[in-house]
Coordinates of all heavy atoms in Angstrom, one line a residue:
M1 N 100.7 97.9 115.0 CA 99.8 98.0 113.7 C 98.6 97.2 114.1 O 98.7 96.0 114.6 CB 100.6 97.4 112.6 CG 100.0 97.8 111.1 SD 100.7 99.3 110.7 CE 102.1 98.8 109.9
T2 N 97.4 97.8 113.7 CA 96.1 97.1 113.9 C 95.4 97.1 112.7 O 95.3 97.9 111.8 CB 95.2 98.0 115.0 OG1 96.1 98.2 116.1 CG2 94.0 97.3 115.4
T3 N 94.7 95.9 112.4 CA 93.9 95.7 111.2 C 92.4 95.4 111.8 O 92.1 94.6 112.6 CB 94.3 94.6 110.4 OG1 95.6 94.8 110.0 CG2 93.4 94.4 109.1
V4 N 91.5 96.3 111.3 CA 90.0 96.0 111.7 C 89.2 95.9 110.3 O 89.6 96.3 109.2 CB 89.5 97.4 112.4 CG1 90.1 97.4 113.8 CG2 89.7 98.5 111.5
T5 N 88.1 95.2 110.4 CA 87.2 95.1 109.2 C 85.9 95.7 109.8 O 85.3 95.3 110.8 CB 87.0 93.6 109.1 OG1 88.3 93.1 108.6 CG2 86.0 93.4 107.8
Y6 N 85.4 96.7 108.9 CA 84.1 97.2 109.3 C 83.1 96.9 108.2 O 83.4 96.9 107.1 CB 84.2 98.8 109.4 CG 85.1 99.4 110.4 CD1 85.9 100.3 110.3 CD2 85.1 98.8 111.7 CE1 86.7 100.9 111.2 CE2 85.8 99.2 112.8 CZ 86.7 100.3 112.5 OH 87.4 100.8 113.5
M7 N 81.9 96.8 108.6 CA 80.7 96.6 107.5 C 80.1 98.0 107.5 O 79.8 98.7 108.5 CB 79.7 95.7 108.3 CG 78.4 95.7 107.5 SD 78.7 94.9 105.9 CE 77.1 95.1 105.2
I8 N 80.1 98.5 106.2 CA 79.6 99.9 106.0 C 78.5 99.8 104.9 O 78.6 99.7 103.7 CB 80.7 100.7 105.4 CG1 81.9 100.9 106.4 CG2 80.3 102.2 105.1 CD1 83.2 101.6 105.9
P9 N 77.2 99.9 105.5 CA 76.1 99.5 104.6 C 75.9 100.5 103.5 O 75.2 100.3 102.5 CB 74.9 99.7 105.7 CG 75.4 99.5 107.0 CD 77.0 99.9 106.9
N10 N 76.3 101.7 103.7 CA 76.0 102.8 102.7 C 76.9 102.6 101.4 O 76.6 103.4 100.3 CB 76.4 104.2 103.3 CG 75.3 104.7 104.1 OD1 74.4 104.0 104.4 ND2 75.4 105.9 104.7
I11 N 78.0 101.7 101.4 CA 78.6 101.4 100.1 C 77.6 100.9 99.1 O 77.1 99.9 99.3 CB 79.7 100.4 100.4 CG1 80.9 101.1 101.3 CG2 80.4 100.0 99.1 CD1 82.0 100.0 101.7
S12 N 77.6 101.7 98.0 CA 76.6 101.1 96.9 C 77.3 101.2 95.4 O 76.7 100.5 94.5 CB 75.4 102.0 96.8 OG 75.9 103.4 96.5
C13 N 78.5 101.8 95.4 CA 79.1 101.6 94.0 C 80.7 102.0 94.2 O 81.1 102.2 95.2 CB 78.5 102.7 93.1 SG 78.8 104.4 93.6
G14 N 81.3 102.0 93.0 CA 82.8 102.3 93.0 C 83.1 103.6 93.5 O 84.2 103.8 94.0
H15 N 82.1 104.6 93.3 CA 82.4 105.9 93.8 C 82.5 105.9 95.3 O 83.5 106.5 95.9 CB 81.5 106.8 93.4 CG 81.7 108.2 93.8 ND1 82.4 109.2 93.3 CD2 81.1 108.9 94.9 CE1 82.5 110.2 94.1 NE2 81.6 110.1 95.0
C16 N 81.7 105.1 96.0 CA 81.7 105.1 97.4 C 83.1 104.4 97.9 O 83.6 105.0 98.8 CB 80.6 104.1 98.0 SG 79.0 104.7 97.6
V17 N 83.5 103.4 97.3 CA 84.8 102.8 97.5 C 85.9 103.8 97.5 O 86.8 103.9 98.4 CB 84.9 101.5 96.6 CG1 86.4 101.0 96.7 CG2 84.0 100.4 96.8
H18 N 85.9 104.4 96.4 CA 87.0 105.5 96.0 C 86.9 106.5 97.2 O 88.1 106.9 97.7 CB 86.8 106.1 94.7 CG 87.7 107.1 94.4 ND1 89.1 106.7 94.0 CD2 87.7 108.4 94.4 CE1 89.8 107.9 93.8 NE2 89.0 109.0 94.1
T19 N 85.8 107.1 97.5 CA 85.7 108.1 98.6 C 86.2 107.6 99.9 O 87.0 108.3 100.5 CB 84.2 108.6 98.7 OG1 83.7 109.0 97.5 CG2 84.1 109.6 99.7
I20 N 85.8 106.4 100.3 CA 86.3 105.8 101.5 C 87.7 105.7 101.5 O 88.4 106.0 102.4 CB 85.6 104.5 101.9 CG1 84.1 104.8 102.2 CG2 86.2 103.7 103.0 CD1 83.2 103.6 102.2
Q21 N 88.3 105.1 100.4 CA 89.7 104.7 100.4 C 90.5 106.0 100.4 O 91.5 106.1 101.0 CB 90.1 103.8 99.1 CG 89.5 102.5 99.4 CD 89.8 101.6 98.3 OE1 89.7 100.3 98.4 NE2 90.3 102.0 97.2
T22 N 90.0 107.0 99.8 CA 90.7 108.3 99.7 C 90.7 109.1 101.0 O 91.7 109.4 101.6 CB 90.2 109.2 98.5 OG1 90.2 108.5 97.3 CG2 91.0 110.6 98.5
E23 N 89.5 109.2 101.6 CA 89.5 109.9 102.9 C 90.0 109.4 104.0 O 90.8 110.0 104.8 CB 87.9 110.2 103.1 CG 87.2 111.1 102.0 CD 87.5 112.5 102.1 OE1 87.8 112.9 103.3 OE2 87.4 113.2 101.1
I24 N 89.8 108.1 104.1 CA 90.4 107.4 105.3 C 91.9 107.1 105.1 O 92.7 107.3 106.0 CB 89.8 106.0 105.6 CG1 88.3 106.2 105.8 CG2 90.4 105.2 106.7 CD1 87.9 107.1 107.0
G25 N 92.4 107.0 103.8 CA 93.7 106.8 103.5 C 94.5 108.1 103.8 O 95.7 107.9 103.9
E26 N 93.9 109.2 103.8 CA 94.7 110.5 104.1 C 94.9 110.7 105.6 O 95.7 111.6 106.0 CB 93.9 111.5 103.5 CG 94.1 111.8 102.0 CD 93.1 112.8 101.3 OE1 92.5 113.5 102.2 OE2 93.3 113.0 100.2
M27 N 94.1 109.9 106.4 CA 94.3 110.1 107.8 C 95.7 109.7 108.4 O 96.2 108.6 108.0 CB 93.3 109.3 108.6 CG 93.4 109.5 110.1 SD 92.1 108.5 111.0 CE 90.6 109.4 110.7
A28 N 96.4 110.4 109.3 CA 97.7 110.2 109.8 C 97.6 108.9 110.5 O 96.8 108.7 111.2 CB 98.1 111.2 110.7
G29 N 98.5 107.9 110.2 CA 98.6 106.6 110.8 C 98.0 105.5 110.0 O 98.3 104.3 110.3
V30 N 97.2 105.8 109.1 CA 96.4 104.8 108.3 C 97.3 104.2 107.3 O 97.9 105.1 106.5 CB 95.1 105.4 107.8 CG1 94.4 104.3 106.7 CG2 94.1 105.7 108.8
K31 N 97.6 103.0 107.3 CA 98.5 102.3 106.2 C 97.8 101.8 105.1 O 98.5 101.8 103.9 CB 99.4 101.2 107.0 CG 100.1 101.6 108.1 CD 101.2 102.7 107.7 CE 101.8 103.4 108.9 NZ 102.7 104.4 108.5
S32 N 96.7 101.2 105.3 CA 95.9 100.8 104.0 C 94.5 100.7 104.3 O 93.9 100.5 105.4 CB 96.6 99.4 103.5 OG 95.9 98.4 104.5
V33 N 93.7 101.0 103.2 CA 92.2 100.9 103.3 C 91.7 100.1 102.0 O 92.1 100.4 101.0 CB 91.6 102.3 103.2 CG1 90.1 102.1 103.3 CG2 92.3 103.3 104.2
K34 N 91.0 99.0 102.3 CA 90.5 98.3 101.1 C 89.0 98.2 101.4 O 88.5 97.4 102.3 CB 91.0 96.9 101.1 CG 92.3 96.9 100.1 CD 91.8 96.9 98.6 CE 92.9 97.2 97.7 NZ 92.4 97.7 96.5
A35 N 88.2 98.8 100.6 CA 86.7 98.7 100.7 C 86.3 97.8 99.5 O 86.8 97.8 98.5 CB 86.2 100.1 100.6
D36 N 85.2 97.0 99.9 CA 84.6 96.1 98.9 C 83.2 96.5 98.5 O 82.4 96.5 99.5 CB 84.7 94.7 99.3 CG 84.4 93.6 98.2 OD1 83.2 93.5 98.0 OD2 85.4 93.1 97.7
M37 N 83.0 96.8 97.2 CA 81.7 97.2 96.8 C 80.7 96.2 97.0 O 79.5 96.4 97.2 CB 82.0 97.4 95.2 CG 80.8 98.3 94.6 SD 81.4 98.9 93.1 CE 81.4 97.4 92.0
V38 N 81.0 94.9 96.9 CA 80.0 93.8 96.9 C 79.5 93.5 98.3 O 78.5 93.4 98.8 CB 80.4 92.5 96.2 CG1 79.3 91.4 96.2 CG2 80.5 93.0 94.7
S39 N 80.7 93.1 99.1 CA 80.5 92.8 100.5 C 80.2 93.9 101.5 O 79.6 93.7 102.6 CB 81.6 91.9 101.1 OG 82.8 92.8 101.2
R40 N 80.6 95.1 101.0 CA 80.5 96.3 101.9 C 81.4 96.3 103.1 O 81.2 97.0 103.9 CB 79.1 96.6 102.2 CG 78.2 96.9 101.0 CD 76.8 97.0 101.3 NE 75.9 97.1 100.0 CZ 74.6 97.1 99.9 NH1 74.0 97.1 101.1 NH2 74.0 97.3 98.9
E41 N 82.4 95.4 103.1 CA 83.3 95.3 104.2 C 84.5 96.1 103.8 O 85.0 96.2 102.6 CB 83.7 93.9 104.4 CG 82.7 93.1 105.2 CD 83.0 91.7 105.4 OE1 84.1 91.2 104.9 OE2 82.3 91.0 106.1
T42 N 85.0 96.8 104.8 CA 86.3 97.7 104.6 C 87.3 97.2 105.5 O 87.2 97.1 106.7 CB 85.9 99.2 104.8 OG1 84.9 99.5 103.7 CG2 87.1 100.0 104.6
V43 N 88.4 96.9 105.0 CA 89.5 96.5 105.9 C 90.5 97.6 106.0 O 91.1 98.1 104.9 CB 90.3 95.1 105.2 CG1 91.4 94.8 106.1 CG2 89.2 94.1 105.1
I44 N 90.9 97.9 107.3 CA 91.7 99.2 107.4 C 92.8 98.7 108.5 O 92.6 98.1 109.3 CB 91.0 100.4 108.1 CG1 89.8 100.7 107.3 CG2 91.8 101.5 108.3 CD1 88.7 101.6 107.9
T45 N 94.1 99.0 107.9 CA 95.3 98.7 108.8 C 95.8 100.1 109.2 O 96.0 101.0 108.4 CB 96.3 97.9 108.0 OG1 95.8 96.8 107.7 CG2 97.5 97.7 108.8
F46 N 96.1 100.2 110.5 CA 96.6 101.5 111.0 C 97.4 101.4 112.2 O 97.5 100.4 112.8 CB 95.3 102.5 111.3 CG 94.5 101.9 112.5 CD1 94.7 102.2 113.9 CD2 93.4 101.0 112.2 CE1 93.9 101.8 114.9 CE2 92.7 100.4 113.3 CZ 92.9 100.9 114.6
E47 N 98.1 102.5 112.5 CA 98.9 102.6 113.8 C 98.7 104.0 114.3 O 98.1 104.9 113.7 CB 100.5 102.3 113.5 CG 101.0 103.3 112.6 CD 102.5 102.9 112.2 OE1 102.9 101.8 112.4 OE2 103.1 103.8 111.7
P48 N 99.1 104.2 115.6 CA 99.0 105.7 116.1 C 99.6 106.6 115.2 O 100.8 106.3 114.7 CB 99.6 105.6 117.5 CG 99.6 104.1 117.9 CD 99.7 103.4 116.6
P49 N 99.0 107.9 115.1 CA 98.0 108.5 116.0 C 96.6 108.0 115.4 O 95.6 108.5 116.1 CB 98.2 110.1 115.7 CG 98.7 110.1 114.3 CD 99.6 108.8 114.2
A50 N 96.4 107.3 114.5 CA 95.0 106.9 114.1 C 94.5 105.9 115.2 O 95.2 105.1 115.7 CB 95.1 106.1 112.8
T51 N 93.2 106.0 115.5 CA 92.5 105.1 116.4 C 91.3 104.7 115.8 O 90.6 105.4 114.9 CB 92.2 105.8 117.7 OG1 91.2 107.0 117.5 CG2 93.4 106.3 118.4
E52 N 90.7 103.6 116.3 CA 89.3 103.1 115.7 C 88.3 104.3 115.9 O 87.4 104.4 115.0 CB 88.8 101.9 116.5 CG 89.5 100.6 116.1 CD 88.5 99.5 116.4 OE1 87.5 99.4 115.7 OE2 88.8 98.7 117.3
E53 N 88.3 104.9 117.2 CA 87.4 106.0 117.3 C 87.5 107.1 116.3 O 86.5 107.6 115.8 CB 87.8 106.5 118.7 CG 86.6 107.3 119.4 CD 86.9 107.8 120.9 OE1 88.1 108.1 121.0 OE2 86.1 107.6 121.7
K54 N 88.7 107.4 115.9 CA 88.9 108.5 114.9 C 88.4 108.1 113.5 O 87.9 108.8 112.8 CB 90.4 109.0 114.8 CG 90.9 109.8 116.0 CD 92.4 110.1 115.7 CE 93.0 110.8 117.0 NZ 94.3 110.9 116.8
I55 N 88.7 106.8 113.2 CA 88.3 106.4 111.8 C 86.8 106.3 111.9 O 86.3 106.7 110.8 CB 89.0 104.9 111.6 CG1 90.5 105.0 111.6 CG2 88.4 104.3 110.5 CD1 91.3 103.8 111.7
K56 N 86.2 105.8 112.9 CA 84.7 105.7 112.9 C 84.1 107.0 112.7 O 83.1 107.2 112.1 CB 84.2 105.0 114.1 CG 84.4 103.4 114.0 CD 83.9 102.7 115.2 CE 83.9 101.2 115.1 NZ 83.6 100.5 116.4
A57 N 84.7 108.1 113.4 CA 84.2 109.4 113.4 C 84.3 110.0 112.0 O 83.3 110.6 111.6 CB 85.0 110.3 114.5
L58 N 85.4 109.7 111.4 CA 85.5 110.2 110.0 C 84.6 109.6 109.0 O 84.0 110.2 108.2 CB 87.0 110.1 109.5 CG 87.3 110.6 108.2 CD1 86.9 112.1 108.0 CD2 88.8 110.5 107.8
L59 N 84.5 108.2 109.2 CA 83.5 107.5 108.3 C 82.1 108.1 108.5 O 81.4 108.2 107.5 CB 83.5 106.1 108.6 CG 84.7 105.3 108.1 CD1 84.8 103.9 108.7 CD2 84.7 105.3 106.5
A60 N 81.6 108.5 109.8 CA 80.3 108.9 109.9 C 80.2 110.3 109.4 O 79.2 110.7 108.7 CB 80.1 109.0 111.4
E61 N 81.3 111.1 109.3 CA 81.3 112.4 108.9 C 81.2 112.5 107.4 O 80.6 113.4 106.9 CB 82.7 113.1 109.4 CG 82.7 114.5 109.2 CD 84.2 115.1 109.7 OE1 84.4 114.7 110.9 OE2 84.9 115.6 109.0
I62 N 81.8 111.5 106.7 CA 81.6 111.5 105.3 C 80.5 110.6 104.7 O 80.3 110.4 103.6 CB 83.0 111.0 104.6 CG1 83.3 109.6 105.0 CG2 84.1 112.0 104.9 CD1 84.5 108.9 104.1
N63 N 79.5 110.3 105.8 CA 78.3 109.7 105.4 C 78.4 108.2 105.1 O 77.6 107.6 104.4 CB 77.5 110.4 104.3 CG 76.0 110.1 104.3 OD1 75.4 110.1 105.6 ND2 75.3 110.2 103.2
Y64 N 79.5 107.6 105.7 CA 79.6 106.1 105.6 C 79.8 105.6 106.9 O 80.9 105.1 107.3 CB 80.7 105.7 104.7 CG 80.5 106.2 103.2 CD1 81.2 107.2 102.6 CD2 79.6 105.4 102.4 CE1 80.9 107.6 101.3 CE2 79.3 105.7 101.1 CZ 80.0 106.8 100.5 OH 79.7 107.1 99.3
P65 N 78.7 105.7 107.8 CA 78.8 105.2 109.2 C 79.1 103.7 109.2 O 78.5 102.9 108.4 CB 77.6 105.6 109.9 CG 76.7 105.8 108.8 CD 77.5 106.3 107.7
V66 N 79.8 103.1 110.2 CA 80.0 101.7 110.4 C 78.8 101.1 111.0 O 78.2 101.8 111.7 CB 81.2 101.6 111.2 CG1 81.4 100.0 111.6 CG2 82.6 102.1 110.7
A67 N 78.4 100.0 110.6 CA 77.2 99.2 111.0 C 77.5 99.0 112.5 O 78.6 98.6 112.9 CB 77.0 98.0 110.3
A68 N 76.4 99.0 113.3 CA 76.6 98.9 114.8 C 76.8 97.4 115.1 O 76.5 96.6 114.3 CB 75.3 99.4 115.4
Ligands
CU101 CU1 78.6 104.9 95.5

């Protein structure tokens, strides 16, 4: 099990938080997703088959790319 924290600058409101938590939460292997509207940090806990690469790719696809 791995936990990562990503800074996602595009988070601007509760809808963004909901979208991220729903979309990433549906990925196989993702155990929990907690996005914060104020800090714009998102904490994701996952295990295989989910990978950081897949999570970042999906975030970019739904228009919430992780800060470099
Ligand atoms: Cu929003």
Side-chain angles (χ1 to χ4, degrees):
M1 200 85 88
T2 305
T3 299
V4 292
T5 302
Y6 295 142
M7 171 67 186
I8 301 178
N10 283 0
I11 293 177
S12 60
C13 69
H15 177 77
C16 300
V17 167
H18 180 77
T19 301
I20 290 166
Q21 291 184 166
T22 303
E23 294 288 331
I24 302 302
E26 284 173 358
M27 183 183 284
V30 172
K31 297 300 169 190
S32 77
V33 186
K34 264 292 168 200
D36 189 282
M37 194 166 74
V38 178
S39 68
R40 296 174 183 173
E41 285 181 348
T42 300
V43 180
I44 303 168
T45 300
F46 64 93
E47 63 185 16
T51 63
E52 277 207 76
E53 201 172 39
K54 285 183 191 170
I55 291 167
K56 285 181 174 178
L58 180 55
L59 283 167
E61 194 177 301
I62 64 173
N63 208 30
Y64 293 105
V66 173

